[in-house]
Amino acid sequence: MKSLTIHTLIITVFFFTIPTSFASPPRLEDVYSQCTTDFKPSNPNFPIQNFTYTQQDPSFLTILNNYVRNLRYFNNTTRKPVAIIAAADVTHIQATITCAKRLSLQLRIRSGGHDYDGMSYLSTVEFVVLDMFNLRSIEFDPKLDTAWVQSGATLGEIYYGVANKSNDLRGFPAGICPGLGAGGHFSDAKIVDAKGRVLDRSSMGEDLFWALRGGGAASFCVVLAWKIKLVPVPGKVTVFNVETVGNRGGVNTTELVLKWQEIADKIDNNLFIRLTLSTSNKTVKASFMGMFLGDSTKLLETMNTDFPALGLNKTECLEMKWIESVLFWLSIPPGTAPTSVMLNRIPQKQIYLKRKSDYVQKPISRTGLDAIFKVLLENENVTMAWNPYGGRMSEIPSTETAFPHRAGNMFKIQYAANWLVQGEAVANECLSQTERVFEAMSPYVSKNPREAFLNYRDVDIGTSLNSTYEEGKVYGVKYFKNNFERLVKVKSRVDPDNFFRYEQSIPVLSTYNRNSQTTQNMEKLLVISLLLILNSVATSQPVTDPVAFLRCLERQPTDPASPNSAVAYIPTNSSFTTAALGCARELSLQVRIRSGGHDFEGLSYTSTVPFFVLDMFSFRTVDVNLTDGTAWVDAGVTTGELYYRIAEKSNVLGFPAGLCTTLGVGGHFSGGGYGTMMRKYGLSVDNVVGSGIVDSNGNIFTDRVSMGEDRFWAIRGGGAASFGVVLGYKIRLVTVPEKVTVFNVRRTVAEGGVDLIMKWQSFAHSTDRNLFVRLTLTLVNGTKPGEKMALASFIGMYLGGSDKTFNVMNRDFPELKLKRTDCTEMRWIESVVFWAGYPIGTPISVLLNRTVTTKAFHKRKSDYVKRPISRTGLGLILKKLVEVENVRMFFNPYGGRMGEIPSSRTPFPHRAGNLYKIEYLVSWSEAGEDVEKNQLARAREMYEFMSPYVSKNPREAFFNYRDLDIGSSVNSTYEEGKVYGVKYFKDNFERLVDIKTLIDAENFWKNEQGIPVRR
Ligand SMILES: Cc1cc2nc3c(=O)[nH]c(=O)nc-3n(C[C@H](O)[C@H](O)[C@H](O)COP(=O)(O)OP(=O)(O)OC[C@H]3O[C@@H](n4cnc5c(N)ncnc54)[C@H](O)[C@@H]3O)c2cc1C
């Protein structure tokens, strides 16, 4: 830490007192410091000036040098950073990222400075170093199973802390440790991404978390801290270091190495024997340095059985605590230093060095070994450390983390050349020797690609000058093999601007055109929002002052990365969304999102408070992928368009969604979405596999992974309008037969309708799941003048031909007396037209009509029935229906697939146990308050009358049949929300509240029936 600088003052004086014509341009480092100082939010307890070191600062070089581990990259000619920010607070990291972006500086992130080729503190272009050494706290959980470790902590500090805290019962597998893979030992991370957001595992998504583990985090973000899993270690471990020059006990070095190759990757997982090959007095020296997680007796038993040739004896074995073994591996002679030396952060001695790596997958023959020894003797400055794999390393799949070198590898070679003397000649000689040994090893090591270990950073295997995918692939496949492509995808998604780039970073996919997806989406939002504002004005919707809104939009910064902006962390190409959402905040406007406009209570385009509409009608892409049977469907697509586009490509694929063909996918899917195939395939949301969403800060999550499982769960039935703007859904298509059969058989009460309804109640939910028979109850004229009676219509569809339909119906519902002439076979897509109410034979192109030709006034209500209604009950209901008039009732059967899906899988909870759902429909065409009151009263009366026959505590309701009568929110409280929430979502309501609280704590996305925030 250092004292407060006077940068602010200097800059101010500089700009205001020197006449422009004489002024030399401000120094980059000053502009940078000023930028970070101005950054908001800042933490007043940690003014960033105290942690910023520019080249003028007297301690600049010391700070830079403190964590330089390779002297090759610290001399007079090495380019120095514009500034070093020794971050002590997350806001410092955010400021550093923002300002580096603004001034087009590259960022180098340094934790311990051990990058062998100096990539954490070196660059060929202007750059800043974000130094993490101040962020080094370690926090243990009470059970000592895990610890949060900040990035700047050294391994020594972690080992020491773990051992001390656990009384030597725990360790952590990093650095050198037998038989354990480290990747799986990170269970969480906290990062700051390119937008300056602080994310953890759940908010960053599994893909990014995967990439960080082995893929080199510096390509993706700044890691603030890791959550590590601690492992138990025995009270005693045993170490040894057997060195042989020429031969040992009559066995020559070649033989010993041959034997080592046979056993090292197969021996007891508790035993790790590293072989180091170097030269001594023109002879090859082999060191077998080992550690056993147990005592010496057990170790000797194992060695005598598996590696007797080494002749390890008791006197060569040293028993010690695991923490002491850390010093042993650092070549500190046992007993010469306390374990606390591992807390020294600054190395005693700095050296020049070069490292390279290789993987060996087949044993090297005796002849091969002799040739290698010869090369080593000719290049005496190079040593090779052979680190055995096998054990746990082979069990972990190579795709589990980004680190790919798992099963199939016997050992990894590290080539090392160290020298102490400055000067080009020595450096060149050492580098050439390393190169020669590396070349000579090519016949014996992995090929296509010649694999390399990322942590043994080696610029020789390829570097990136222009940040292209092709350049990146050269080194990328060596470090990551097949995982490289996935890393590129993650990178392209989380950092499309390639802000986190350096000489060996993961490139952005060249074909990934973020403009084509994200920007287009955003442009659509722009156009549409403006349209709607204007539309709102034209139609006198209750937008208080559209001009103020437009002015506000104009005032929003065009450079969204501006640190002074309240909307600083947003993708540069989504400025409009951010601006619109920012203005919604500034002017206290609510946002209403509309896709198809079918909300029964008009919540997508009305509000009692000032608002604007974000209309999604331009989001119209349907991208059907026949190869994997999926489709991406934009939020503004209607169900009719979706069905049509699927049928355009295939006769045997369809999708289970609503009967009405002008519903918008955005609202319809986000509320569940049922249709005639639900008994076979469930709801729309049961077949949704991905989605994209924009949050209130304009952050775009383009897939399920990035938005996180919780958010993804919530928007499949919980009403997306409480969580953000859904851009679209990825759906799994379902198979449909080439022919389906439809029918519509009507019977009045006078024609035996009551018996049929009674039978329907037991048949419809239990029959063949290919069959869906909806029952509608409407009124028709009776036999006497002015008399009305109920008409029961059994409208059905069987997913198959008429023969099969006929058989199933005659078996399960013979009372209906379905005749062959009642049945019409057609393509599934034609049945969609039939269900939408068009006469049979209407061309399917009608599905592309988005607008509803005849508009009417509507009220809908819903109920769930769990026990068949008695004949007496039914009689009363039918009588009441006649009495209230103008109320229709549609009964939709459940059962089949609907009964199998657990009620917590999606927010839609009405699964097993429901026989059918009732929809109450009241529609009228005449405008006027009195008419409306009258019609609503009828709907409510019928609904009240039904209470004894339907679900209770809660009286369940279907979210897509929006009904403000069941409760609405005025003050956005949890209590208000619970009233309607448990009816729509039952037990899932609490989880929805938890998710809402987590991702939208300010309750930006609210409406009269939104999910409340838990306070
Ligand atoms: C004539 C008619 C027939 C119907 N038939 C069926 C049926 O067969 N099956 C069925 O399940 N339902 C049916 N419904 C109900 C229908 O599914 C819901 O009304 C659904 O919400 C409509 O979606 P929408 O996008 O058209 O409506 P909108 O009014 O645009 O939206 C409805 C709700 O979703 C929100 N929303 C819309 N788009 C987004 C988005 N992109 N991101 C976030 N939130 C968004 C809105 O803000 C609003 O809260 C029918 C409705 C009508 C009017």
PDB file of all heavy atoms in Angstrom, residues 593-600 604 635 658-660 663-664 666-668 673-674 720-721 724-726 958 960 962, ligand 1:
ATOM      1  N   ILE A 593     -43.573  -6.325 -21.341  1.00  0.00           N
ATOM      2  CA  ILE A 593     -43.007  -7.063 -22.474  1.00  0.00           C
ATOM      3  C   ILE A 593     -44.140  -7.793 -23.172  1.00  0.00           C
ATOM      4  O   ILE A 593     -44.949  -8.448 -22.522  1.00  0.00           O
ATOM      5  CB  ILE A 593     -41.993  -8.110 -21.979  1.00  0.00           C
ATOM      6  CG1 ILE A 593     -41.043  -7.489 -20.968  1.00  0.00           C
ATOM      7  CG2 ILE A 593     -41.211  -8.703 -23.152  1.00  0.00           C
ATOM      8  CD1 ILE A 593     -40.428  -8.512 -20.042  1.00  0.00           C
ATOM      9  N   ARG A 594     -44.190  -7.657 -24.472  1.00  0.00           N
ATOM     10  CA  ARG A 594     -45.281  -8.292 -25.205  1.00  0.00           C
ATOM     11  C   ARG A 594     -44.724  -9.142 -26.343  1.00  0.00           C
ATOM     12  O   ARG A 594     -43.888  -8.681 -27.116  1.00  0.00           O
ATOM     13  CB  ARG A 594     -46.212  -7.212 -25.760  1.00  0.00           C
ATOM     14  CG  ARG A 594     -47.364  -7.774 -26.555  1.00  0.00           C
ATOM     15  CD  ARG A 594     -48.478  -6.778 -26.708  1.00  0.00           C
ATOM     16  NE  ARG A 594     -48.168  -5.742 -27.684  1.00  0.00           N
ATOM     17  CZ  ARG A 594     -49.066  -4.850 -28.101  1.00  0.00           C
ATOM     18  NH1 ARG A 594     -50.281  -4.850 -27.606  1.00  0.00           N
ATOM     19  NH2 ARG A 594     -48.731  -3.940 -28.993  1.00  0.00           N
ATOM     20  N   SER A 595     -45.204 -10.356 -26.443  1.00  0.00           N
ATOM     21  CA  SER A 595     -44.791 -11.196 -27.577  1.00  0.00           C
ATOM     22  C   SER A 595     -45.971 -11.391 -28.518  1.00  0.00           C
ATOM     23  O   SER A 595     -45.954 -10.957 -29.658  1.00  0.00           O
ATOM     24  CB  SER A 595     -44.260 -12.541 -27.087  1.00  0.00           C
ATOM     25  OG  SER A 595     -42.977 -12.372 -26.554  1.00  0.00           O
ATOM     26  N   GLY A 596     -47.037 -12.024 -28.032  1.00  0.00           N
ATOM     27  CA  GLY A 596     -48.200 -12.236 -28.899  1.00  0.00           C
ATOM     28  C   GLY A 596     -49.405 -11.442 -28.439  1.00  0.00           C
ATOM     29  O   GLY A 596     -50.429 -11.393 -29.122  1.00  0.00           O
ATOM     30  N   GLY A 597     -49.300 -10.838 -27.255  1.00  0.00           N
ATOM     31  CA  GLY A 597     -50.379  -9.976 -26.762  1.00  0.00           C
ATOM     32  C   GLY A 597     -51.621 -10.711 -26.300  1.00  0.00           C
ATOM     33  O   GLY A 597     -52.691 -10.116 -26.186  1.00  0.00           O
ATOM     34  N   HIS A 598     -51.519 -12.020 -26.023  1.00  0.00           N
ATOM     35  CA  HIS A 598     -52.715 -12.786 -25.648  1.00  0.00           C
ATOM     36  C   HIS A 598     -52.959 -12.853 -24.156  1.00  0.00           C
ATOM     37  O   HIS A 598     -53.809 -13.621 -23.704  1.00  0.00           O
ATOM     38  CB  HIS A 598     -52.614 -14.207 -26.211  1.00  0.00           C
ATOM     39  CG  HIS A 598     -52.969 -14.274 -27.657  1.00  0.00           C
ATOM     40  ND1 HIS A 598     -52.277 -13.578 -28.612  1.00  0.00           N
ATOM     41  CD2 HIS A 598     -53.959 -14.932 -28.318  1.00  0.00           C
ATOM     42  CE1 HIS A 598     -52.800 -13.812 -29.798  1.00  0.00           C
ATOM     43  NE2 HIS A 598     -53.836 -14.627 -29.647  1.00  0.00           N
ATOM     44  N   ASP A 599     -52.222 -12.102 -23.377  1.00  0.00           N
ATOM     45  CA  ASP A 599     -52.439 -12.125 -21.938  1.00  0.00           C
ATOM     46  C   ASP A 599     -53.906 -11.782 -21.668  1.00  0.00           C
ATOM     47  O   ASP A 599     -54.393 -10.729 -22.101  1.00  0.00           O
ATOM     48  CB  ASP A 599     -51.520 -11.097 -21.262  1.00  0.00           C
ATOM     49  CG  ASP A 599     -51.509 -11.258 -19.765  1.00  0.00           C
ATOM     50  OD1 ASP A 599     -52.555 -11.005 -19.121  1.00  0.00           O
ATOM     51  OD2 ASP A 599     -50.452 -11.645 -19.235  1.00  0.00           O
ATOM     52  N   PHE A 600     -54.607 -12.670 -20.965  1.00  0.00           N
ATOM     53  CA  PHE A 600     -56.049 -12.480 -20.783  1.00  0.00           C
ATOM     54  C   PHE A 600     -56.382 -11.245 -19.963  1.00  0.00           C
ATOM     55  O   PHE A 600     -57.501 -10.748 -20.020  1.00  0.00           O
ATOM     56  CB  PHE A 600     -56.674 -13.726 -20.157  1.00  0.00           C
ATOM     57  CG  PHE A 600     -56.943 -14.813 -21.167  1.00  0.00           C
ATOM     58  CD1 PHE A 600     -56.334 -16.048 -21.060  1.00  0.00           C
ATOM     59  CD2 PHE A 600     -57.808 -14.593 -22.231  1.00  0.00           C
ATOM     60  CE1 PHE A 600     -56.583 -17.048 -21.988  1.00  0.00           C
ATOM     61  CE2 PHE A 600     -58.061 -15.590 -23.160  1.00  0.00           C
ATOM     62  CZ  PHE A 600     -57.446 -16.823 -23.044  1.00  0.00           C
ATOM     63  N   SER A 604     -49.488  -7.382 -20.678  1.00  0.00           N
ATOM     64  CA  SER A 604     -48.329  -7.123 -21.531  1.00  0.00           C
ATOM     65  C   SER A 604     -48.440  -5.778 -22.239  1.00  0.00           C
ATOM     66  O   SER A 604     -47.501  -5.335 -22.888  1.00  0.00           O
ATOM     67  CB  SER A 604     -48.183  -8.241 -22.566  1.00  0.00           C
ATOM     68  OG  SER A 604     -49.370  -8.368 -23.312  1.00  0.00           O
ATOM     69  N   ALA A 635     -38.875 -15.213 -29.457  1.00  0.00           N
ATOM     70  CA  ALA A 635     -40.017 -14.954 -28.577  1.00  0.00           C
ATOM     71  C   ALA A 635     -41.235 -14.416 -29.324  1.00  0.00           C
ATOM     72  O   ALA A 635     -42.374 -14.688 -28.961  1.00  0.00           O
ATOM     73  CB  ALA A 635     -39.617 -13.981 -27.483  1.00  0.00           C
ATOM     74  N   GLY A 658     -49.937 -24.494 -27.750  1.00  0.00           N
ATOM     75  CA  GLY A 658     -51.343 -24.094 -27.680  1.00  0.00           C
ATOM     76  C   GLY A 658     -52.178 -24.337 -28.928  1.00  0.00           C
ATOM     77  O   GLY A 658     -51.670 -24.478 -30.036  1.00  0.00           O
ATOM     78  N   LEU A 659     -53.478 -24.356 -28.715  1.00  0.00           N
ATOM     79  CA  LEU A 659     -54.433 -24.591 -29.812  1.00  0.00           C
ATOM     80  C   LEU A 659     -54.617 -23.337 -30.657  1.00  0.00           C
ATOM     81  O   LEU A 659     -54.799 -23.413 -31.862  1.00  0.00           O
ATOM     82  CB  LEU A 659     -55.797 -25.006 -29.238  1.00  0.00           C
ATOM     83  CG  LEU A 659     -55.916 -26.433 -28.698  1.00  0.00           C
ATOM     84  CD1 LEU A 659     -55.183 -26.619 -27.403  1.00  0.00           C
ATOM     85  CD2 LEU A 659     -57.374 -26.788 -28.526  1.00  0.00           C
ATOM     86  N   CYS A 660     -54.575 -22.203 -29.983  1.00  0.00           N
ATOM     87  CA  CYS A 660     -54.709 -20.938 -30.698  1.00  0.00           C
ATOM     88  C   CYS A 660     -53.404 -20.675 -31.444  1.00  0.00           C
ATOM     89  O   CYS A 660     -52.335 -20.864 -30.888  1.00  0.00           O
ATOM     90  CB  CYS A 660     -55.005 -19.840 -29.687  1.00  0.00           C
ATOM     91  SG  CYS A 660     -54.871 -18.192 -30.364  1.00  0.00           S
ATOM     92  N   LEU A 663     -50.801 -17.172 -30.598  1.00  0.00           N
ATOM     93  CA  LEU A 663     -50.136 -16.945 -29.310  1.00  0.00           C
ATOM     94  C   LEU A 663     -48.661 -16.649 -29.550  1.00  0.00           C
ATOM     95  O   LEU A 663     -48.042 -17.250 -30.422  1.00  0.00           O
ATOM     96  CB  LEU A 663     -50.214 -18.202 -28.432  1.00  0.00           C
ATOM     97  CG  LEU A 663     -51.600 -18.788 -28.162  1.00  0.00           C
ATOM     98  CD1 LEU A 663     -51.461 -20.088 -27.380  1.00  0.00           C
ATOM     99  CD2 LEU A 663     -52.435 -17.776 -27.379  1.00  0.00           C
ATOM    100  N   GLY A 664     -48.094 -15.751 -28.761  1.00  0.00           N
ATOM    101  CA  GLY A 664     -46.655 -15.485 -28.874  1.00  0.00           C
ATOM    102  C   GLY A 664     -45.890 -16.499 -28.039  1.00  0.00           C
ATOM    103  O   GLY A 664     -46.272 -16.803 -26.905  1.00  0.00           O
ATOM    104  N   GLY A 666     -43.115 -16.137 -26.599  1.00  0.00           N
ATOM    105  CA  GLY A 666     -42.516 -15.521 -25.403  1.00  0.00           C
ATOM    106  C   GLY A 666     -43.392 -15.651 -24.174  1.00  0.00           C
ATOM    107  O   GLY A 666     -42.942 -16.077 -23.113  1.00  0.00           O
ATOM    108  N   GLY A 667     -44.674 -15.325 -24.306  1.00  0.00           N
ATOM    109  CA  GLY A 667     -45.552 -15.408 -23.153  1.00  0.00           C
ATOM    110  C   GLY A 667     -46.085 -16.820 -22.962  1.00  0.00           C
ATOM    111  O   GLY A 667     -46.158 -17.324 -21.848  1.00  0.00           O
ATOM    112  N   HIS A 668     -46.427 -17.462 -24.078  1.00  0.00           N
ATOM    113  CA  HIS A 668     -47.073 -18.771 -24.016  1.00  0.00           C
ATOM    114  C   HIS A 668     -46.166 -19.818 -23.358  1.00  0.00           C
ATOM    115  O   HIS A 668     -46.564 -20.495 -22.412  1.00  0.00           O
ATOM    116  CB  HIS A 668     -47.444 -19.194 -25.437  1.00  0.00           C
ATOM    117  CG  HIS A 668     -48.103 -20.523 -25.543  1.00  0.00           C
ATOM    118  ND1 HIS A 668     -49.262 -20.830 -24.878  1.00  0.00           N
ATOM    119  CD2 HIS A 668     -47.760 -21.647 -26.245  1.00  0.00           C
ATOM    120  CE1 HIS A 668     -49.612 -22.087 -25.162  1.00  0.00           C
ATOM    121  NE2 HIS A 668     -48.710 -22.599 -25.991  1.00  0.00           N
ATOM    122  N   GLY A 673     -47.764 -23.513 -21.405  1.00  0.00           N
ATOM    123  CA  GLY A 673     -48.091 -23.871 -22.783  1.00  0.00           C
ATOM    124  C   GLY A 673     -48.632 -25.284 -22.916  1.00  0.00           C
ATOM    125  O   GLY A 673     -47.865 -26.242 -22.890  1.00  0.00           O
ATOM    126  N   TYR A 674     -49.951 -25.418 -23.032  1.00  0.00           N
ATOM    127  CA  TYR A 674     -50.489 -26.759 -23.236  1.00  0.00           C
ATOM    128  C   TYR A 674     -51.191 -26.815 -24.573  1.00  0.00           C
ATOM    129  O   TYR A 674     -51.611 -25.792 -25.130  1.00  0.00           O
ATOM    130  CB  TYR A 674     -51.459 -27.134 -22.104  1.00  0.00           C
ATOM    131  CG  TYR A 674     -52.853 -26.627 -22.361  1.00  0.00           C
ATOM    132  CD1 TYR A 674     -53.780 -27.408 -23.056  1.00  0.00           C
ATOM    133  CD2 TYR A 674     -53.236 -25.358 -21.971  1.00  0.00           C
ATOM    134  CE1 TYR A 674     -55.063 -26.922 -23.345  1.00  0.00           C
ATOM    135  CE2 TYR A 674     -54.506 -24.868 -22.250  1.00  0.00           C
ATOM    136  CZ  TYR A 674     -55.410 -25.646 -22.946  1.00  0.00           C
ATOM    137  OH  TYR A 674     -56.653 -25.171 -23.241  1.00  0.00           O
ATOM    138  N   ALA A 720     -42.070 -15.431 -17.471  1.00  0.00           N
ATOM    139  CA  ALA A 720     -40.759 -14.818 -17.668  1.00  0.00           C
ATOM    140  C   ALA A 720     -40.763 -13.330 -17.339  1.00  0.00           C
ATOM    141  O   ALA A 720     -39.728 -12.764 -16.991  1.00  0.00           O
ATOM    142  CB  ALA A 720     -40.291 -15.042 -19.101  1.00  0.00           C
ATOM    143  N   ALA A 721     -41.934 -12.690 -17.424  1.00  0.00           N
ATOM    144  CA  ALA A 721     -41.978 -11.243 -17.223  1.00  0.00           C
ATOM    145  C   ALA A 721     -41.492 -10.837 -15.831  1.00  0.00           C
ATOM    146  O   ALA A 721     -41.156  -9.681 -15.609  1.00  0.00           O
ATOM    147  CB  ALA A 721     -43.393 -10.728 -17.449  1.00  0.00           C
ATOM    148  N   GLY A 724     -37.075 -11.170 -16.738  1.00  0.00           N
ATOM    149  CA  GLY A 724     -36.276 -10.534 -17.783  1.00  0.00           C
ATOM    150  C   GLY A 724     -37.005 -10.609 -19.111  1.00  0.00           C
ATOM    151  O   GLY A 724     -38.192 -10.957 -19.165  1.00  0.00           O
ATOM    152  N   VAL A 725     -36.278 -10.261 -20.171  1.00  0.00           N
ATOM    153  CA  VAL A 725     -36.875 -10.311 -21.509  1.00  0.00           C
ATOM    154  C   VAL A 725     -36.394 -11.585 -22.199  1.00  0.00           C
ATOM    155  O   VAL A 725     -35.201 -11.713 -22.496  1.00  0.00           O
ATOM    156  CB  VAL A 725     -36.435  -9.099 -22.361  1.00  0.00           C
ATOM    157  CG1 VAL A 725     -37.135  -9.124 -23.716  1.00  0.00           C
ATOM    158  CG2 VAL A 725     -36.703  -7.808 -21.638  1.00  0.00           C
ATOM    159  N   VAL A 726     -37.310 -12.505 -22.414  1.00  0.00           N
ATOM    160  CA  VAL A 726     -36.917 -13.739 -23.095  1.00  0.00           C
ATOM    161  C   VAL A 726     -36.745 -13.451 -24.584  1.00  0.00           C
ATOM    162  O   VAL A 726     -37.622 -12.863 -25.218  1.00  0.00           O
ATOM    163  CB  VAL A 726     -37.972 -14.851 -22.881  1.00  0.00           C
ATOM    164  CG1 VAL A 726     -37.745 -15.998 -23.844  1.00  0.00           C
ATOM    165  CG2 VAL A 726     -37.919 -15.357 -21.458  1.00  0.00           C
ATOM    166  N   PHE A 958     -54.464 -21.926 -13.579  1.00  0.00           N
ATOM    167  CA  PHE A 958     -53.447 -22.050 -14.636  1.00  0.00           C
ATOM    168  C   PHE A 958     -52.917 -20.666 -14.973  1.00  0.00           C
ATOM    169  O   PHE A 958     -53.670 -19.773 -15.353  1.00  0.00           O
ATOM    170  CB  PHE A 958     -54.099 -22.719 -15.858  1.00  0.00           C
ATOM    171  CG  PHE A 958     -53.194 -22.849 -17.056  1.00  0.00           C
ATOM    172  CD1 PHE A 958     -51.839 -23.156 -16.915  1.00  0.00           C
ATOM    173  CD2 PHE A 958     -53.690 -22.691 -18.343  1.00  0.00           C
ATOM    174  CE1 PHE A 958     -51.016 -23.297 -18.028  1.00  0.00           C
ATOM    175  CE2 PHE A 958     -52.869 -22.822 -19.470  1.00  0.00           C
ATOM    176  CZ  PHE A 958     -51.537 -23.124 -19.297  1.00  0.00           C
ATOM    177  N   ASN A 960     -51.320 -19.391 -17.425  1.00  0.00           N
ATOM    178  CA  ASN A 960     -51.573 -18.829 -18.755  1.00  0.00           C
ATOM    179  C   ASN A 960     -53.012 -18.331 -18.915  1.00  0.00           C
ATOM    180  O   ASN A 960     -53.300 -17.571 -19.829  1.00  0.00           O
ATOM    181  CB  ASN A 960     -51.245 -19.853 -19.848  1.00  0.00           C
ATOM    182  CG  ASN A 960     -49.828 -19.687 -20.360  1.00  0.00           C
ATOM    183  OD1 ASN A 960     -49.101 -18.804 -19.911  1.00  0.00           O
ATOM    184  ND2 ASN A 960     -49.420 -20.526 -21.301  1.00  0.00           N
ATOM    185  N   ARG A 962     -54.524 -16.153 -17.208  1.00  0.00           N
ATOM    186  CA  ARG A 962     -54.346 -15.052 -16.248  1.00  0.00           C
ATOM    187  C   ARG A 962     -55.679 -14.561 -15.727  1.00  0.00           C
ATOM    188  O   ARG A 962     -56.597 -14.276 -16.513  1.00  0.00           O
ATOM    189  CB  ARG A 962     -53.621 -13.925 -16.963  1.00  0.00           C
ATOM    190  CG  ARG A 962     -53.519 -12.670 -16.164  1.00  0.00           C
ATOM    191  CD  ARG A 962     -52.252 -12.543 -15.457  1.00  0.00           C
ATOM    192  NE  ARG A 962     -51.144 -12.446 -16.393  1.00  0.00           N
ATOM    193  CZ  ARG A 962     -49.886 -12.658 -16.032  1.00  0.00           C
ATOM    194  NH1 ARG A 962     -49.593 -12.979 -14.799  1.00  0.00           N
ATOM    195  NH2 ARG A 962     -48.923 -12.538 -16.909  1.00  0.00           N
TER     196      ARG A 962
HETATM  197  C1  LIG B   1     -57.401 -16.917 -27.747  1.00  0.00           C
HETATM  198  C2  LIG B   1     -56.449 -17.526 -26.764  1.00  0.00           C
HETATM  199  C3  LIG B   1     -56.214 -18.881 -26.804  1.00  0.00           C
HETATM  200  C4  LIG B   1     -55.321 -19.479 -25.911  1.00  0.00           C
HETATM  201  N1  LIG B   1     -55.061 -20.807 -25.988  1.00  0.00           N
HETATM  202  C5  LIG B   1     -54.139 -21.374 -25.170  1.00  0.00           C
HETATM  203  C6  LIG B   1     -53.770 -22.737 -25.286  1.00  0.00           C
HETATM  204  O1  LIG B   1     -54.294 -23.470 -26.121  1.00  0.00           O
HETATM  205  N2  LIG B   1     -52.837 -23.229 -24.440  1.00  0.00           N
HETATM  206  C7  LIG B   1     -52.232 -22.456 -23.492  1.00  0.00           C
HETATM  207  O2  LIG B   1     -51.382 -22.939 -22.764  1.00  0.00           O
HETATM  208  N3  LIG B   1     -52.567 -21.160 -23.365  1.00  0.00           N
HETATM  209  C8  LIG B   1     -53.490 -20.594 -24.184  1.00  0.00           C
HETATM  210  N4  LIG B   1     -53.785 -19.261 -24.067  1.00  0.00           N
HETATM  211  C9  LIG B   1     -53.102 -18.501 -23.029  1.00  0.00           C
HETATM  212  C10 LIG B   1     -51.748 -18.021 -23.498  1.00  0.00           C
HETATM  213  O3  LIG B   1     -50.847 -19.084 -23.512  1.00  0.00           O
HETATM  214  C11 LIG B   1     -51.220 -16.918 -22.591  1.00  0.00           C
HETATM  215  O4  LIG B   1     -52.078 -15.839 -22.611  1.00  0.00           O
HETATM  216  C12 LIG B   1     -49.835 -16.498 -22.967  1.00  0.00           C
HETATM  217  O5  LIG B   1     -49.295 -15.715 -21.924  1.00  0.00           O
HETATM  218  C13 LIG B   1     -49.833 -15.695 -24.251  1.00  0.00           C
HETATM  219  O6  LIG B   1     -48.561 -15.369 -24.633  1.00  0.00           O
HETATM  220  P1  LIG B   1     -48.357 -14.101 -25.583  1.00  0.00           P
HETATM  221  O7  LIG B   1     -46.914 -13.934 -25.816  1.00  0.00           O
HETATM  222  O8  LIG B   1     -49.237 -14.219 -26.759  1.00  0.00           O
HETATM  223  O9  LIG B   1     -48.968 -12.957 -24.678  1.00  0.00           O
HETATM  224  P2  LIG B   1     -48.398 -11.573 -24.141  1.00  0.00           P
HETATM  225  O10 LIG B   1     -49.616 -10.825 -23.741  1.00  0.00           O
HETATM  226  O11 LIG B   1     -47.507 -10.940 -25.108  1.00  0.00           O
HETATM  227  O12 LIG B   1     -47.573 -12.019 -22.858  1.00  0.00           O
HETATM  228  C14 LIG B   1     -48.144 -12.696 -21.769  1.00  0.00           C
HETATM  229  C15 LIG B   1     -47.253 -12.537 -20.529  1.00  0.00           C
HETATM  230  O13 LIG B   1     -45.936 -12.975 -20.813  1.00  0.00           O
HETATM  231  C16 LIG B   1     -45.002 -11.865 -20.711  1.00  0.00           C
HETATM  232  N5  LIG B   1     -44.079 -11.952 -21.838  1.00  0.00           N
HETATM  233  C17 LIG B   1     -44.382 -11.965 -23.144  1.00  0.00           C
HETATM  234  N6  LIG B   1     -43.270 -12.066 -23.877  1.00  0.00           N
HETATM  235  C18 LIG B   1     -42.243 -12.100 -23.033  1.00  0.00           C
HETATM  236  C19 LIG B   1     -40.833 -12.182 -23.203  1.00  0.00           C
HETATM  237  N7  LIG B   1     -40.296 -12.239 -24.410  1.00  0.00           N
HETATM  238  N8  LIG B   1     -40.048 -12.173 -22.106  1.00  0.00           N
HETATM  239  C20 LIG B   1     -40.589 -12.076 -20.871  1.00  0.00           C
HETATM  240  N9  LIG B   1     -41.916 -12.021 -20.654  1.00  0.00           N
HETATM  241  C21 LIG B   1     -42.726 -12.032 -21.727  1.00  0.00           C
HETATM  242  C22 LIG B   1     -45.871 -10.627 -20.788  1.00  0.00           C
HETATM  243  O14 LIG B   1     -45.255  -9.503 -20.219  1.00  0.00           O
HETATM  244  C23 LIG B   1     -47.109 -11.087 -20.075  1.00  0.00           C
HETATM  245  O15 LIG B   1     -46.896 -11.044 -18.701  1.00  0.00           O
HETATM  246  C24 LIG B   1     -54.666 -18.668 -24.948  1.00  0.00           C
HETATM  247  C25 LIG B   1     -54.909 -17.305 -24.905  1.00  0.00           C
HETATM  248  C26 LIG B   1     -55.790 -16.741 -25.800  1.00  0.00           C
HETATM  249  C27 LIG B   1     -56.049 -15.253 -25.757  1.00  0.00           C
END
